[in-house]
Amino acid sequence: KRQGGYYKCNKYEELKSTPNDLTKQEEKRERAQHELKKYMFFFERYRNHVKAGDHAIEMRPKIDILLEKLNTEKSYPIAELLFLREGLDEVIRWRKVLKWTYAYGFYLEDEKEKALFENAQELLEKNADRLHEYLEQDFEPYLWEEQLDKKPFYQYKSNLVNWYKVTKQFYTNLLDGLEKGLTK
């Protein structure tokens, strides 16, 4: 009966035990297989954040065009639109940090520290994903000529800014935890 590691979301479950009847060579092969699976789990998540970060960077020109259109076509002051660019810049920064959390997490061994770290990582990851999705939404309805009511846009802005603030706190908490873990 083979046992190996498996994963749930951002957490990799370690190999708990090996059957006693395995020979040394089989045991060595099992461990190597387990280490490869563990590495691939962390590498895939690292790579996913690289791709998401690249996608966010590719969104910059789209956001800049949107700012210009909202300003010129709908008369929103630029200062009231910069939250879009700031939110995108934060998503890019969070993606950079998240990718490296998987490199850090690969080497974590202390179960209590690992559980706290994975919780903080998961919160930042989920919220960064949500904010990223929020920035990708279709903005055309806000630009429609017949759309005179600005309340929907300002509601969108309020939601995005609130989500951004919450996520920024998760980011700070994760960095604080990393700093404490690295200075042990």
Side-chain angles (χ1 to χ4, degrees), residues 41-64:
F41 170 85
F42 284 93
F43 178 73
E44 284 297 317
R45 276 139 193 86
Y46 172 93
R47 194 168 70 191
N48 288 344
H49 285 291
V50 169
K51 288 178 184 177
D54 290 347
H55 176 67
I57 290 169
E58 291 168 3
M59 287 177 60
R60 277 184 174 150
K62 178 183 170 190
I63 293 293
D64 288 340

Side-chain angles (χ1 to χ4, degrees), residues 23-117:
T23 66
K24 293 278 185 204
Q25 188 175 5
E26 288 172 328
E27 198 172 307
K28 193 175 183 179
R29 184 176 31 248
E30 288 288 324
R31 267 196 304 266
Q33 219 168 19
H34 166 73
E35 286 300 314
L36 179 60
K37 285 180 183 178
K38 179 181 175 184
Y39 172 80
M40 291 307 297
F41 170 85
F42 284 93
F43 178 73
E44 284 297 317
R45 276 139 193 86
Y46 172 93
R47 194 168 70 191
N48 288 344
H49 285 291
V50 169
K51 288 178 184 177
D54 290 347
H55 176 67
I57 290 169
E58 291 168 3
M59 287 177 60
R60 277 184 174 150
K62 178 183 170 190
I63 293 293
D64 288 340
I65 290 168
L66 176 64
L67 292 176
E68 183 64 29
K69 282 183 174 181
L70 286 167
N71 175 254
T72 58
E73 295 174 22
K74 299 302 276 185
S75 302
Y76 287 98
I78 286 290
E80 291 184 16
L81 300 172
L82 292 177
F83 74 96
L84 292 165
R85 190 179 294 147
E86 291 166 7
L88 184 61
D89 288 345
E90 286 302 308
V91 166
I92 292 166
R93 181 173 12 161
W94 297 336
R95 294 291 185 192
K96 286 178 185 176
V97 168
L98 280 165
K99 75 178 178 184
W100 289 111
T101 64
Y102 282 98
Y104 179 83
F106 179 81
Y107 294 101
L108 265 178
E109 292 180 9
D110 179 86
E111 290 301 317
K112 186 176 178 184
E113 182 181 342
K114 185 177 177 180
L116 289 170
F117 169 77

